[in-house]
Structure formats: structure tokens, C-alpha cells
Amino acid sequence: MIRLYKSYSQFIEAGCDEVGRGCLSGPVVAAAVILDHNFNQNLVNDSKKLTSKTRLDLDSYIKEHVREYAIAELPPSFIDEHNILNASIHAMHLALDQLTIRPELILVDGNRFHPYPFIPHQCIIKGDSKFLSIACASILAKNYRDQLMIELHEEFPEYGWNKNMGYATKQHREALNKYGPTIHHRKSFRLDYSEVRSPGEVEDFTSDLFP
């Protein structure tokens, strides 16, 4: 496994990542992590590259061995009102707001971010597979959201959220056609799959599904 960088600079850094942007239901969740200088866990990587068991095993290790972490979520209603990009970035801001240690630099996975007050940021494409702090944030956000979707599945088992986590899998789309959307669905996303599209027109939502 490729070793990830511990830091981007000599400053106190907070790595940020979000999960759930491509889902049809459930919140978008973000995490912010400030590493300890002695943090040493070679298994940490982009959460999409880890099995569910490995992610869960790493969860407690990360929480116990980083200097600080925070997790924030925003519901479908906020996503519908502000769009998913703005909601994802705002969720990262909310996670940063919870940190008691003030970072001097924010590392963001991806290429889009809104400036956070008085702290510079650096966007890093595929940052969750390059920097430990972002990878840790990715794992914490993913585990938090997965558990939430598993709990919501108990309320609405028809949609298979305990397996698809809200992504547009075949089971999820068929349930939408049969039962319609729930209060946890994002009304600004495509929720009507009654019209059959040709193979070239089918949207691939499952690429974001993790192992």
C-alpha cells in the first residue's frame, strides 16, 4: 500500500472530506481531522479503497490518536435549497467550526471550496489518497454516514439503504418507482425512474459505492 503524506506544510493542518454527494437520500456528511505528529497507521487510505471492516477497525484508532476531529451533517432539505456542492462545502465548514484547535491551513479533498474565515485552504484532487489527514476525515465521515443510513433503513427497509447507503442502485430505483420518495430523499435529485433510458443514457450513480 502506498504511504500517504503526513503533512502538506509546516503549519497546523486540518484535513477535510465529505461523503454522500451522489446519493439520492440521506444527509451529506463531512469531517475535519488534525493529526498528531506521532500518528502512525499505515492502513489509513482513501475510504473508497478500504473494506467496510477495515474502515470500522480504523475508526476508533483514528479518534483516539489524532489531535482532534469533528463531524457534521446537513439534511436533504438543506441540499435541496442550496444544491449539493454548496451543502458539501458548508458541511466541511461546520466540521471546522467544531474544532477547538485552530488550524493554520485547511486541506480539502477535491477542487472546489469556499474560503473559510481567516484560514487559507488548499484543494487537492484525490487528496484522500495522498494525505493522511484527508484520508482520516474520509473514513470518519463514511463510517458516520453509513451507520446513519443503516438506522434509517430500519424505518424504510424497502429501499435497501443498509446496503446501498442511499446511492441509486437498481433496488433503490425500483423501490422509488413502487413506493415513491420518503422524507429522507433529496427532492432536487432525479427520483423518477419510471422512464426507461437507453444504456448510453443511464446515469452511473454506483461508481461512488464503496467496497
Side-chain angles (χ1 to χ4, degrees):
M1 180 179 290
I2 298 175
R3 296 285 295 272
L4 277 62
Y5 296 108
K6 273 192 176 181
S7 62
Y8 180 87
S9 68
Q10 74 274 26
F11 301 112
I12 298 174
E13 299 171 352
C16 292
D17 201 3
E18 52 72 32
V19 67
R21 281 184 61 173
C23 297
L24 303 182
S25 57
V28 63
V29 174
V33 171
I34 298 177
L35 290 182
D36 185 271
H37 292 301
N38 297 320
F39 186 87
N40 186 23
Q41 176 47 267
N42 295 336
L43 290 178
V44 171
N45 206 322
D46 171 10
S47 63
K48 294 185 289 297
K49 298 178 180 179
L50 301 174
T51 65
S52 177
K53 182 181 184 306
T54 301
R55 282 197 308 271
L56 290 173
D57 289 343
L58 287 170
D59 197 88
S60 58
Y61 181 92
I62 291 170
K63 291 175 178 177
E64 291 173 10
H65 291 84
V66 299
R67 290 184 67 184
E68 192 173 12
Y69 71 91
I71 301 172
E73 63 175 282
L74 284 170
S77 58
F78 189 96
I79 295 169
D80 292 336
E81 182 176 356
H82 299 279
N83 79 45
I84 186 59
L85 175 62
N86 288 327
S88 299
I89 294 173
H90 190 57
M92 286 190 272
H93 280 215
L94 292 178
L96 289 164
D97 288 345
Q98 297 178 51
L99 297 175
T100 59
I101 300 172
R102 184 172 178 82
E104 298 168 326
L105 178 65
I106 301 166
L107 302 183
V108 183
D109 181 52
N111 61 359
R112 303 287 295 275
F113 193 68
H114 299 155
Y116 188 83
F118 310 111
I119 302 177
H121 68 271
Q122 178 65 51
C123 292
I124 302 171
I125 296 174
K126 296 184 178 179
D128 50 4
S129 61
K130 297 176 181 177
F131 289 91
L132 273 173
S133 61
I134 301 178
C136 287
S138 172
I139 291 169
L140 296 186
K142 172 64 176 166
N143 286 340
Y144 180 96
R145 190 179 187 281
D146 280 1
Q147 183 56 43
L148 180 61
M149 295 308 296
I150 291 170
E151 293 171 4
L152 292 179
H153 168 79
E154 299 300 317
E155 184 181 0
F156 297 98
E158 301 86 0
Y159 301 87
W161 292 338
N162 62 327
K163 298 290 181 59
N164 61 50
M165 305 305 169
Y167 287 93
T169 60
K170 181 180 179 181
Q171 178 186 3
H172 196 172
R173 298 194 305 270
E174 289 177 347
L176 277 167
N177 287 339
K178 185 174 182 179
Y179 303 104
T182 70
I183 58 173
H184 302 296
H185 279 95
R186 302 170 182 180
K187 305 303 188 292
S188 55
F189 280 44
R190 181 191 173 196
L191 300 177
D192 182 1
Y193 289 91
S194 57
E195 179 183 349
V196 178
R197 296 187 177 187
S198 63
E201 296 177 311
V202 173
E203 298 164 84
D204 179 15
F205 291 98
T206 58
S207 61
D208 288 326
L209 281 172
F210 303 151

